[in-house]
Amino acid sequence: MSLSLIAFLVLVAAFAVGSFTKINAGLLATVAAFGVGTLLAGMSIKDVIGQFPAGLFFILVGATLLFAIVRINGTIDLLAYWAERLAGDRKILVPILMFLLTAALASAGAFTPAAIAIVAPVGLALGARFGISTLAMGLVIVQGANAGAFSPVNPFGVLGNKMLDGAGASGESFKLYAYCFIFNAILAVIAYALVQTIMKRRAAKAEARQADGGNAMKNDDGADAPSGGSVSGPGSAGTAVLTAPPQTIAATGTKTRPVKVAATPMRILTLVGIASLLVLTTVLGLDVGVASLVIAAVLIVLDSNVQKPAVESMPWSAIILVTGIVTYVGMLEKMGALKELQEGIAGLGNSSLAALIASYVVAIVSAFASTTGTLGVISPVVVPIAMDPLLTPVGVVTAIAISSSVVDVSPMSTSGALLMASAQPKDERMFFRALLLWAIAMIGVVPLLVWFVFVQLGLG
């Protein structure tokens, strides 16, 4: 067994342990990088340390700190209040606004799990008030985050653009962002329509059973509803049970007015800070991590009370996961293991087929692990494929980008877990099954679809 194969198996083992236990795969990967690098590859400890992704670390820390402040000082509540006021009684606008809000946060640089963590609690509760399935709303929010995830200032986008740069297509970053945005917007519409239709059918069947029996009807959590009774409101009683948490179903049948959120000076300044982040990074070319840290520091100076809760609420586990995996990948590249893998894929003799295989690999791995870490692992493999003159670099990278992120709804990934955490306790089992089935469907269908559209057809 070659050293490279052993090194890859160690990485797979770290992913497996991290997926099925509470142990952080990034921590294991970091320790393994020193073990494999020094004992098997003959590298010095200094060489292994040199593989730590300092630039990516600053991006993750800066972005998550900034958007933790956005959540803590109530700026996200203000945005949600404006969204609810804008929606009024127009139900269809609610998922659209939540999609756009999550996409805007991700496009502005928020780490995808951070954007979902910010919007999901508000979006699910807001959707429930309008009789929208919490599952449908959750899928829309995740797709919104994925739609903005490949913005040039988002950590996902940074990795995607590195692949484009390596393939000699550095000017195609906006195309990557636009293609991912459009694809996820279409997928959000499909998910919303499909889930809402299924929920309405379930509600109709529940009503039919209630009418036939005339006895107590069981709610999803097993509690008996009043015999022969119904809950009045915009939708039917069955629809309410399936789509809204119990406490959001008003017996009076009226939707409460949105609770006003004041546009305080601090919240306005925070919005200015987010807009400044876009200007600093896209117009002036300042590093995303540095710009995020500067804006976060300014907001902390203006209101020091947000510092402690913001730092404590940062996803340090995710940061360790991502940087640990990327450190190990750097060690693999240093020892020449990635070059062997690239040669193996090149040995297929068909770059288009290699792109399809890579798309399925990242979809499967990302469903159980960090998307950012997965992109970091696959990046050196994708670049030679994207450089094939018969393919378009942006097409190959887009296929990989969508395949790796579309499965983030898996309950075993960070984004899916955040949705489950935002759902009502009674909905957790349903959420787990539904999200897992959706992720499996995405693994089976999306890589082939995006490969055909972006690689085979050469869109881009």
Side-chain angles (χ1 to χ4, degrees), residues 64-150:
T64 54
L65 176 61
L66 175 58
F67 285 94
I69 295 172
V70 170
R71 177 181 56 81
I72 290 168
N73 68 15
T75 302
I76 189 61
D77 296 325
L78 176 62
L79 293 174
Y81 169 68
W82 286 345
E84 189 171 3
R85 286 286 302 275
L86 183 61
D89 293 325
R90 292 163 293 186
K91 176 180 175 179
I92 192 60
L93 282 182
V94 176
I96 294 174
L97 291 172
M98 290 301 102
F99 174 90
L100 292 176
L101 175 57
T102 318
L105 290 173
S107 298
F111 199 34
T112 301
I116 294 172
I118 289 169
V119 178
V122 178
L124 296 187
L126 186 59
R129 292 178 61 180
F130 282 82
I132 298 173
S133 163
T134 51
L135 176 60
M137 183 62 78
L139 291 176
V140 167
I141 289 172
V142 172
Q143 297 314 136
N146 287 339
F150 288 91

Side-chain angles (χ1 to χ4, degrees), residues 118-263:
I118 289 169
V119 178
V122 178
L124 296 187
L126 186 59
R129 292 178 61 180
F130 282 82
I132 298 173
S133 163
T134 51
L135 176 60
M137 183 62 78
L139 291 176
V140 167
I141 289 172
V142 172
Q143 297 314 136
N146 287 339
F150 288 91
S151 155
V153 300
N154 189 284
F156 284 13
V158 170
L159 290 173
N161 288 328
K162 283 185 178 180
M163 286 187 266
L164 288 176
D165 291 343
S170 56
E172 305 287 350
S173 60
F174 180 76
K175 283 187 178 181
L176 172 64
Y177 172 55
Y179 292 155
C180 291
F181 193 102
I182 294 170
F183 184 91
N184 281 285
I186 295 172
L187 189 58
V189 172
I190 295 172
Y192 179 82
L194 181 62
V195 173
Q196 282 290 89
T197 300
I198 293 173
M199 288 302 190
K200 286 180 180 179
R201 289 179 180 175
R202 288 182 59 188
K205 290 180 180 179
E207 279 189 338
R209 285 196 300 268
Q210 183 185 23
D212 291 340
N215 296 317
M217 181 182 67
K218 290 286 185 178
N219 289 341
D220 283 350
D221 60 356
D224 288 332
S227 176
S230 65
V231 181
S232 60
S236 65
T239 302
V241 169
L242 289 168
T243 60
Q247 65 269 30
T248 64
I249 305 172
T252 60
T254 59
K255 185 173 73 72
T256 59
R257 298 176 64 85
V259 178
K260 183 176 182 180
V261 179

Side-chain angles (χ1 to χ4, degrees), residues 407-429:
V407 296
D408 281 356
V409 74
S410 163
M412 287 166 283
S413 72
T414 306
S415 297
L418 286 169
L419 278 188
M420 292 187 62
S422 301
Q424 294 295 313
K426 74 180 186 66
D427 293 331
E428 285 183 358
R429 293 182 65 185

Side-chain angles (χ1 to χ4, degrees), residues 59 91 157 169 210 265 282 284 301 305 334 370 378 435 453 455:
I59 290 174
K91 176 180 175 179
Q210 183 185 23
T282 59
L284 301 180
V301 169
N305 291 327
K334 185 77 172 179
S370 160
I378 204 69
L435 294 178
V453 173
V455 179

Side-chain angles (χ1 to χ4, degrees), residues 300-368:
I300 288 173
V301 169
L302 295 173
D303 181 11
S304 59
N305 291 327
V306 302
Q307 176 179 289
K308 189 173 186 295
V311 172
E312 290 178 347
S313 65
M314 288 172 61
W316 291 108
S317 179
I319 293 172
I320 292 173
L321 171 64
V322 172
T323 54
I325 294 295
V326 175
T327 298
Y328 192 92
V329 171
M331 185 276 300
L332 287 177
E333 188 168 17
K334 185 77 172 179
M335 67 179 287
L338 290 181
K339 185 176 181 181
E340 289 186 25
L341 178 61
Q342 292 167 10
E343 291 172 351
I345 292 179
L348 294 173
N350 188 325
S351 294
S352 179
L353 177 61
L356 178 61
I357 293 174
S359 295
Y360 271 106
V361 168
V362 295
I364 294 170
V365 173
S366 186
F368 298 92

